[in-house]
């Protein structure tokens, strides 16, 4: 929550995503208590939420597509860590929640350029809830300085920064 608050103060908005671990179906309470099957809430800076679309479902406005920019470790030899970009595409397809990870293509030698712009699907999954059923909504929401919808809110710190620049 501290990280999400920092993102909102600095930029006016952030994204919260609940990442469900892959499962084959129904999970036991013992697996959940042991921590083997536990969803994680991840906060994303506004600039890392690349694209989004919403649709109306009854009285609710829900995301139908969200693209998040992340990084993954390409090489870690104990002395140097090399990371490359990865895009997580969250989408509703035929009423079900689908996740695709897009990673930079490797060159013929199997190496990945950290500054690559050519991406391919690395992994596809259909996350399931604790009851074993596929999710039918994207577990993502925006948080903002004025409200928690998909509109861009002003940064709360912007006025203070402008006054300080004016004093300078």
């Amino acid at each position: 929550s501290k990280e999400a608050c920092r993102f909102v103060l600095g930029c006016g908005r952030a994204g919260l995503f609940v990442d469900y671990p892959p499962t084959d179906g129904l999970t036991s309470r013992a697996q959940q208590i042991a921590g083997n099957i536990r969803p994680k809430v991840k906060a994303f800076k506004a600039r890392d939420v690349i694209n989004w679309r919403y649709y109306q479902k009854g009285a609710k406005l829900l995301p139908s597509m969200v693209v998040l920019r992340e990084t993954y470790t390409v090489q870690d030899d104990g002395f140097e860590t090399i990371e490359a970009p990865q895009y997580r595409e969250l989408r509703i397809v035929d009423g079900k929640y689908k996740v695709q990870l897009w990673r930079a293509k490797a060159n013929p030698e199997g190496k990945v350029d950290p500054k690559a712009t050519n991406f391919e699907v690395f992994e596809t999954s259909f996350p399931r809830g604790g009851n074993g059923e596929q999710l039918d909504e994207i577990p993502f929401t925006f948080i903002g300085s004025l409200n928690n919808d998909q509109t861009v809110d002003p940064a709360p710190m912007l006025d203070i920064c402008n006054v300080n620049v004016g004093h300078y």
Side-chain angles (χ1 to χ4, degrees), residues 1-18 41-49 140-148 153-157:
S1 63
K2 283 183 184 180
E3 185 178 49
C5 184
R6 185 170 48 90
F7 293 162
V8 171
L9 285 174
C11 195
R13 69 185 312 195
L16 290 178
F17 167 58
V18 180
V41 178
K42 297 180 179 180
F44 283 85
K45 296 177 183 177
R47 68 174 177 257
D48 290 332
V49 182
F140 178 88
T141 189
F142 283 107
I143 52 176
S145 60
L146 299 178
N147 55 38
N148 294 333
D153 296 338
M157 299 297 287

Side-chain angles (χ1 to χ4, degrees), residues 23-97:
T23 62
D24 294 329
L26 191 63
T27 59
S28 71
R29 182 79 176 130
Q31 286 176 308
Q32 294 173 10
I33 290 172
N36 298 333
I37 306 291
R38 179 175 289 168
K40 296 177 193 154
V41 178
K42 297 180 179 180
F44 283 85
K45 296 177 183 177
R47 68 174 177 257
D48 290 332
V49 182
I50 303 301
N51 200 354
W52 62 92
R53 298 283 181 273
Y54 274 72
Y55 71 102
Q56 193 80 31
K57 182 179 180 182
K60 295 194 282 186
L61 194 61
L62 300 170
S64 60
M65 185 268 298
V66 179
V67 179
L68 304 168
R69 179 178 40 219
E70 304 172 321
T71 59
Y72 73 100
T73 303
V74 175
Q75 175 188 340
D76 186 0
D77 60 8
F79 296 100
E80 179 182 28
T81 301
I82 299 173
E83 293 186 335
Q86 164 179 286
Y87 293 93
R88 184 178 300 266
E89 177 188 0
L90 317 172
R91 190 178 289 272
I92 296 294
V93 177
D94 297 328
K96 298 297 178 189
Y97 169 49

Side-chain angles (χ1 to χ4, degrees), residues 126-139:
F126 293 87
R128 298 174 180 274
N131 60 2
E133 294 183 20
Q134 278 187 291
L135 301 174
D136 60 356
E137 293 181 4
I138 296 175

